[in-house]
Structures are given as structure tokens and as C-alpha cells.
Amino acid sequence: MVPAASVSVELVPCTETTMRLFDKLTDSGIVRDNGNIRKCMEEWFGDLVLADELRKLLGGGGESDYEDVFTQAEQSEFLFRLFRHLALGGRWCQYEDNVQPYLDVTKLIYKELVSVCKSSDSVGLRVTSQVLKVTAKSEDGSDLIPREADHPQNFLYLLVNPLKRSVTTLYHQFGALLQN
């Protein structure tokens, strides 16, 4: 076991209480009215296969024609990040041709991870959970957790629920194999 010499913690915005953010996928033409994702020529970005406009937007490093659909603030939201992680998938992922399974699973996981309560103005809900993205480095500066922290699919989130006084860990290491 190698001790962490430095740990960085990023407070991730987590304010969304609906899935309306993703209406922009259809409004922009990335997704057709029937939910089918618009295809494009297959490209590789690092070790990610980008075979449609959705994955090109989410993992293409600025190469999408749809870069301006979501603002930086929207892309930094935990809900959007969770959707991105699920839609980009892992090394052995079989991609969906329709966006609905990604939206359904994103909503299910988000509701399981994030706590909400009624707003003080009693009009809607507000998120009470705090989301932290954590990275740890060794003394020589190498990434400990997650390994290759700059890879878009490697992450460690801590979700702090102040109401239940609990912390949930969400972790993924792209392409990792279990080791003895």
C-alpha cells in the first residue's frame, strides 16, 4: 500500500431535480424525436470509440459540431457527469442506439445517490447532498486513485448525505481488470 502524499477535492455542482436538462439533446438534433441517437463516422479519441454524435459530444475533446448545446455550468453538474459516464461506457461497452436507456439508468442512479427535500419556498425540491470528486497522488506525483485521473471515465465521487449522515462512494476505473 502506497500512502497518499496529496489529495485534491473538487466540489461538484449538484442542483438538478429534473431530467429537463437533456431535452437539449432532441432540440439540438443530436437525438431524433424517436430517441435514436444520430450516427456519425466512427472516430477514436484516446481509447474511446465515438460512433455517434452523442458520444462525440460527451467524449470527443472539443471535436463535436454540437459543443455549444450545453453550457460549461450544465456540463459541470453531477447529473450531466453521471449521464456522460454511463453513455461513454467502459472498455467492453455495447452502446445503445437510443438515448432512453441512458436517461432511464441515469435517473435511477441519480435518485439513489442524491437526497432532496422541499424548498423553503415550497414550490419545488432542492438537492441537499454534496458531491465531491476526489483524486489522490503519491509522493512522486503518480495517480493513486483513480489511476490515470485525467481519463474522462476514471473517477471517484463521494456523495455526502447530511440528512442521513452518510457517505456513498461512486468509483470507476476505465478498463481495469481485477487483480489478485
Side-chain angles (χ1 to χ4, degrees), residues 50-78:
L50 310 174
D52 59 52
E53 293 296 343
L54 177 62
R55 276 169 213 60
K56 198 171 174 184
L57 169 69
L58 298 174
E63 297 297 319
S64 172
D65 295 336
Y66 298 96
E67 287 298 316
D68 298 333
V69 171
F70 294 97
T71 66
Q72 284 300 114
E74 289 168 332
Q75 291 182 45
S76 69
E77 278 284 331
F78 180 64

Side-chain angles (χ1 to χ4, degrees), residues 72 122 130 133 155:
Q72 284 300 114
S122 70
Q130 284 193 325
K133 185 175 181 184
F155 55 83

Side-chain angles (χ1 to χ4, degrees), residues 2-7 136-139 144:
V2 178
S6 69
V7 176
K137 294 186 179 289
S138 66
E139 220 171 88
L144 292 176

Side-chain angles (χ1 to χ4, degrees), residues 52-170:
D52 59 52
E53 293 296 343
L54 177 62
R55 276 169 213 60
K56 198 171 174 184
L57 169 69
L58 298 174
E63 297 297 319
S64 172
D65 295 336
Y66 298 96
E67 287 298 316
D68 298 333
V69 171
F70 294 97
T71 66
Q72 284 300 114
E74 289 168 332
Q75 291 182 45
S76 69
E77 278 284 331
F78 180 64
L79 179 63
F80 187 90
R81 291 181 189 207
L82 184 59
F83 175 77
R84 177 189 298 137
H85 294 313
L86 293 170
L88 289 176
R91 180 162 285 155
W92 312 114
C93 181
Q94 278 188 293
Y95 300 110
E96 296 290 338
D97 292 326
N98 192 287
V99 76
Q100 199 57 52
Y102 296 124
L103 294 172
D104 292 345
V105 172
T106 299
K107 182 178 180 178
L108 185 72
I109 294 172
Y110 189 76
K111 285 175 69 173
E112 192 66 30
L113 293 174
V114 174
S115 294
V116 297
C117 70
K118 273 194 166 190
S119 288
S120 57
D121 60 15
S122 70
V123 173
L125 299 173
R126 69 176 178 86
V127 175
T128 58
S129 296
Q130 284 193 325
V131 181
L132 308 171
K133 185 175 181 184
V134 179
T135 57
K137 294 186 179 289
S138 66
E139 220 171 88
D140 67 2
S142 61
D143 296 327
L144 292 176
I145 191 161
R147 290 187 320 271
E148 298 177 42
D150 58 338
H151 191 287
Q153 288 299 81
N154 294 343
F155 55 83
L156 169 61
Y157 293 110
L158 301 178
L159 293 102
V160 180
N161 181 335
L163 302 176
K164 293 182 182 176
R165 295 183 181 196
S166 65
V167 176
T168 303
T169 304
L170 182 62

